[in-house]
Amino acid sequence: MDFRFRFFTTMAASLSVAIFLFAPIAAFASTDNGLSDAQSGAISQHCASIKQSLRTLQRTDARTRSYLGSAYERAISDFITPLDLRLINVSQPNAGLTELHSKILSAREDFVRQYTIYSQSLEELINSDCQSSPNSFYDRLIETREKRATLSKTTDSLRRLLAEHLSTVKKLDSSLEGGANNE
């Protein structure tokens, strides 16, 4: 229960910062992704506060990544892998669990890769000059948002795989208990 609470609290904080940060700037988007002079001026004028919000987002995302990365690693190393090995050692391998194990490892690698790509993009965005080049800054912002959305999809996928693994384990446990009661 504590894990879920911390996870959802951390994710809610990250989401709140992201909405706060990107909602005002997203309103500047026009249909051709160009900025009007007024919009460029607004970005230039608020450059310092935009960058401060981006730095806050960067710190929050780093904490979230660290927390999620360690939670994923603990789930894999303390539960998923030992269970898979135990089933193999007692000559009852489960192809479904083994396949899920492989998918989870792959999704975790995707998470690490996607976070690195997003983090580098966010760093470049923070280091770009929004005061004298607001159009370039806005283009980088759009790219960074897309990379963050890709990271979010990867995180959702990993969460679904972990939930599926847990469900499969519960079904296996029920079937093993049922078989033990029949003997």
Side-chain angles (χ1 to χ4, degrees):
M1 183 66 111
D2 184 43
F3 166 77
R4 286 183 188 165
F5 177 75
R6 288 188 313 195
F7 173 76
F8 287 118
T9 303
T10 305
M11 290 306 290
S14 294
L15 182 60
S16 297
V17 169
I19 289 171
F20 171 75
L21 171 67
F22 291 128
I25 296 173
F28 292 135
S30 65
T31 55
D32 65 354
N33 285 337
L35 296 175
S36 70
D37 290 341
Q39 293 166 333
S40 295
I43 291 174
S44 292
Q45 182 179 3
H46 299 289
C47 183
S49 64
I50 292 169
K51 285 194 172 200
Q52 184 59 41
S53 295
L54 288 169
R55 286 184 195 97
T56 301
L57 177 67
Q58 186 179 40
R59 285 189 301 272
T60 302
D61 282 350
R63 284 190 297 269
T64 301
R65 188 266 179 244
S66 176
Y67 176 76
L68 288 176
S70 64
Y72 295 153
E73 188 58 37
R74 273 193 317 268
I76 291 167
S77 65
D78 294 350
F79 179 69
I80 296 170
T81 300
L83 177 63
D84 224 9
L85 292 173
R86 175 75 175 142
L87 290 171
I88 290 169
N89 285 340
V90 296
S91 299
Q92 292 184 344
N94 185 297
L97 285 177
T98 301
E99 182 180 344
L100 280 171
H101 185 176
S102 177
K103 287 179 181 179
I104 290 168
L105 290 175
S106 177
R108 187 185 145 279
E109 289 173 8
D110 287 346
F111 168 75
V112 170
R113 184 175 45 257
Q114 292 302 326
Y115 181 83
T116 302
I117 291 168
Y118 161 70
S119 180
Q120 289 170 347
S121 181
L122 183 59
E123 184 68 29
E124 289 172 6
L125 178 64
I126 291 170
N127 291 330
S128 65
D129 185 2
C130 56
Q131 201 158 28
S132 58
S133 302
N135 289 337
S136 175
F137 177 83
Y138 185 75
D139 290 342
R140 285 180 191 251
L141 173 65
I142 297 300
E143 291 172 13
T144 302
R145 288 178 74 199
E146 289 169 358
K147 290 173 182 171
R148 192 169 207 267
T150 301
L151 174 61
S152 178
K153 288 177 186 174
T154 301
T155 303
D156 290 343
S157 173
L158 188 49
R159 192 176 315 124
R160 279 191 302 277
L161 287 169
L162 289 169
E164 185 179 344
H165 188 277
L166 181 60
S167 176
T168 303
V169 168
K170 287 179 179 179
K171 288 176 188 173
L172 177 64
D173 186 42
S174 294
S175 70
L176 291 175
E177 283 179 2
N181 291 337
N182 291 338
E183 292 177 8

